[in-house]
Amino acid sequence: MSETELAPQAPPEASLDEDDRLKPAFVSAVLERVEQGDSEGARQLVDPLHPADIADLFELTPAEDRRALASALADLLDGDVLAEMNDYVREDLIDALEPHEVADIATQLDTDDAVAIIEDMEEDDQRAVLRALAPDDRAAIEEALSYPEESAGRLMQRDLIAVPEHWSVGDAIDYLRSNEELTTDFWEIFVVDAQHKPIGTLQLSWMMRTPRVIQLADVMKREQTLIPVDMDQEEVALRFQKYGLISAAVVDAPGRLVGMITVDDILHIVQEEAGEDILKLSGAGEGDINEPILLTIRSRLTWLVVNLGTAMLAASVVGLFEATISKLVALAILMPIVSGMGGNAGTQTMAVVVRALATNQLTSSNTRRMILRELRIALANGATLGLLLGIGVTVVFGNHDLGLVIALAMITNNLVAGLAGILVPVGLEKLDVDPAVSSAVFVTMMTDVMGFFSFLGLATLWGLGG
């Protein structure tokens, strides 16, 4: 394959802006030709684009116009485009295709990309697509679908290069040159023993610079990171990041080589997991703008209802001090400040802890040290904010006792926020509950309740308004 064939075609300047995003005018021009029935004109505009940009074109197209666009660009809508496409947009287009058309697309892709297309289909449609595949392709995809979702088994590619340990470098080179059916996308060769268990790796750069007569066992790298086939994809991404991997062997329970994972797949996982955790912290569901509206409403409303319950709990605490508030209206004005600042402090700690748990920085061996660290931070921040707020309240309201009470309440609630921000995510992690999903609700509840209780309770004990 020539260098020209390997490089993607450069899109016309009129299609992309300086940030490599499709220009609105270009999208409108393509859709206008589709609407006029000028499929050839639409294809001429889109043909120079990279598959990722064609996928973006479908995502930028209104949902009601995507099928017409797909019909006009049928020749360009191949596996590479679908592999780059948003899950919801791809699912919508796949539903419009016949099983044999989906099977034709799946055969163009690596196993992991084919699985990504097929796994979300209805069971009957999935079986129809599998029946339309060649036996070898069907067996590989069925095996991948047997593994848990978001596991290494779903993520891995079956197309790899594995050679026996008794070969020489020359044997391996001859094998690569003579076998046209081998995959062309790989960075290293896996060396296996008689039981097909990986015992080492050999980078192409090493092999091409080593004399042919040298045995593979003498030049291969024996230390390697093996990925269990049932490992969660997030843990796989952490291993790639920690050890700086380009590719890694995937092994089954007996330790046999069954596939490999490459760094390009990991980049997608890292982006996906990072965005997923941020959205979970806010209770916004998947946060995909292409997600069906009813599904978005349901996912957001669930957490809003939970938040409503915690807000009512905080309001009931305020109700306990109705008599105190009625005697000094300033308490009603100031108490949201204490709870609000505590909520912000708790959110800061929680975000740090959730990230530390996700990246394996926070473990049982350093949890105590983390708690003490966050308590020191909370005490310092609380004292600083309490001093500033106390002075401000004293000056504005002319009440030294009120200034002292709100300063003490600020310190107390910041300490609670620091503890809640770390103990809630760690506790949920121990219970095998995703801390990114539920932590925010509980931390906010604790800081609101404790903020109101500490401020109004101290005011009552101090006799303010008496």
Side-chain angles (χ1 to χ4, degrees):
M1 184 177 291
S2 68
E3 185 175 344
T4 304
E5 291 173 320
L6 286 172
Q9 287 181 282
E13 294 182 1
S15 61
L16 301 177
D17 62 18
E18 62 276 6
D19 295 318
D20 290 332
R21 295 175 299 194
L22 291 175
K23 294 181 178 179
F26 175 80
V27 176
S28 299
V30 174
L31 296 182
E32 183 178 343
R33 282 165 173 75
V34 172
E35 185 178 354
Q36 294 172 351
D38 184 10
S39 297
E40 181 60 31
R43 281 195 296 273
Q44 288 179 357
L45 285 176
V46 176
D47 185 58
L49 294 179
H50 186 276
D53 293 318
I54 299 178
D56 287 345
L57 174 62
F58 278 91
E59 293 170 19
L60 293 170
T61 299
E64 61 272 15
D65 297 329
R66 286 175 187 151
R67 297 197 179 191
L69 179 63
S71 178
L73 305 180
D75 296 341
L76 303 178
L77 190 59
D78 57 15
D80 291 333
V81 174
L82 287 174
E84 297 286 347
M85 199 173 288
N86 173 273
D87 291 346
Y88 290 106
V89 176
R90 180 174 61 207
E91 185 177 343
D92 184 47
L93 290 178
I94 289 296
D95 288 342
L97 299 176
E98 295 296 326
H100 72 275
E101 294 176 313
V102 179
D104 289 341
I105 292 173
T107 56
Q108 304 170 25
L109 300 171
D110 291 330
T111 309
D112 57 324
D113 291 328
V115 169
I117 290 176
I118 296 174
E119 64 183 350
D120 293 328
M121 300 179 67
E122 296 291 337
E123 190 173 341
D124 291 342
D125 294 334
Q126 193 178 98
R127 284 198 295 265
V129 171
L130 291 173
R131 284 196 299 269
L133 289 169
D136 291 344
D137 294 328
R138 180 169 63 248
I141 293 176
E142 286 178 340
E143 181 187 3
L145 292 172
S146 69
Y147 297 118
E149 290 188 23
E150 299 188 346
S151 67
R154 292 285 184 98
L155 187 62
M156 70 182 181
Q157 302 175 23
R158 271 71 178 173
D159 296 327
L160 51 82
I161 308 296
V163 297
E165 59 181 319
H166 63 267
W167 276 12
S168 67
V169 170
D171 293 331
I173 292 175
D174 292 340
Y175 172 69
L176 294 176
R177 290 175 176 173
S178 63
N179 196 330
E180 296 181 357
E181 296 182 358
L182 294 176
T183 180
T184 57
D185 297 324
F186 61 97
W187 292 267
E188 61 184 354
I189 294 172
F190 298 101
V191 183
V192 296
D193 62 15
Q195 286 76 43
H196 206 67
K197 296 180 179 180
I199 59 173
T201 61
L202 184 64
Q203 293 183 7
L204 291 179
S205 58
W206 299 354
M207 188 175 70
M208 298 308 296
R209 299 175 64 182
T210 303
R212 291 176 57 89
V213 296
I214 302 297
Q215 295 296 116
L216 294 178
D218 294 332
V219 292
M220 70 181 184
K221 179 183 178 182
R222 295 186 180 273
E223 299 80 17
Q224 58 180 320
T225 301
L226 301 178
I227 307 296
V229 74
D230 57 352
M231 177 179 284
D232 184 84
Q233 65 179 20
E234 190 169 358
E235 182 63 28
V236 176
L238 288 174
R239 290 202 179 185
F240 267 73
Q241 179 184 3
K242 182 176 182 179
Y243 299 114
L245 304 177
I246 299 297
S247 62
V250 180
V251 295
D252 60 13
R256 293 187 298 266
L257 178 65
V258 293
M260 74 169 180
I261 295 176
T262 54
V263 71
D264 58 320
D265 298 313
I266 296 301
L267 289 175
H268 289 291
I269 300 304
V270 170
Q271 180 185 25
E272 178 183 302
E273 294 288 349
E276 186 178 277
D277 286 347
I278 291 173
L279 290 164
K280 283 179 178 178
L281 282 172
S282 66
E286 293 188 20
D288 194 319
I289 61 174
N290 294 294
E291 183 181 36
I293 291 179
L294 291 178
L295 190 59
T296 301
I297 293 173
R298 185 174 64 185
S299 62
R300 294 188 189 182
L301 188 59
T302 299
W303 289 108
L304 290 174
V305 170
V306 174
N307 283 330
L308 177 62
T310 59
M312 293 175 66
L313 178 61
S316 67
V317 173
V318 176
L320 296 175
F321 301 95
E322 182 179 356
T324 303
I325 296 173
S326 65
K327 296 175 183 177
L328 186 61
V329 178
L331 296 175
I333 298 172
L334 297 173
M335 63 184 184
I337 299 176
V338 179
S339 63
M341 293 301 295
N344 290 336
T347 300
Q348 288 178 339
T349 303
M350 178 187 64
V352 171
V353 172
V354 169
R355 179 186 179 277
L357 288 170
T359 57
N360 284 343
Q361 288 182 312
L362 180 59
T363 64
S364 56
S365 62
N366 65 349
T367 299
R368 181 179 178 182
R369 186 169 72 250
M370 183 74 170
I371 292 174
L372 294 176
R373 176 181 183 273
E374 290 301 325
L375 281 177
R376 289 197 296 269
I377 294 171
L379 181 60
N381 289 341
T384 302
L385 293 171
L387 178 62
L388 293 173
L389 185 58
I391 293 173
V393 168
T394 300
V395 171
V396 173
F397 292 93
N399 189 328
H400 294 84
D401 288 339
L402 181 60
L404 181 59
V405 164
I406 198 168
L408 292 174
M410 184 67 74
I411 294 172
T412 301
N413 203 27
N414 264 265
L415 288 171
V416 171
L419 274 175
I422 186 171
L423 293 180
V424 169
V426 169
L428 292 172
E429 177 84 1
K430 295 290 185 183
L431 296 173
D432 290 329
V433 177
D434 190 347
V437 177
S438 310
S439 296
V441 174
F442 293 111
V443 171
T444 302
M445 177 191 70
M446 295 176 70
T447 54
D448 283 351
V449 170
M450 198 60 199
F452 293 142
F453 186 81
S454 61
F455 181 49
L456 298 176
L458 286 170
T460 302
L461 291 175
W462 223 268
L464 293 178

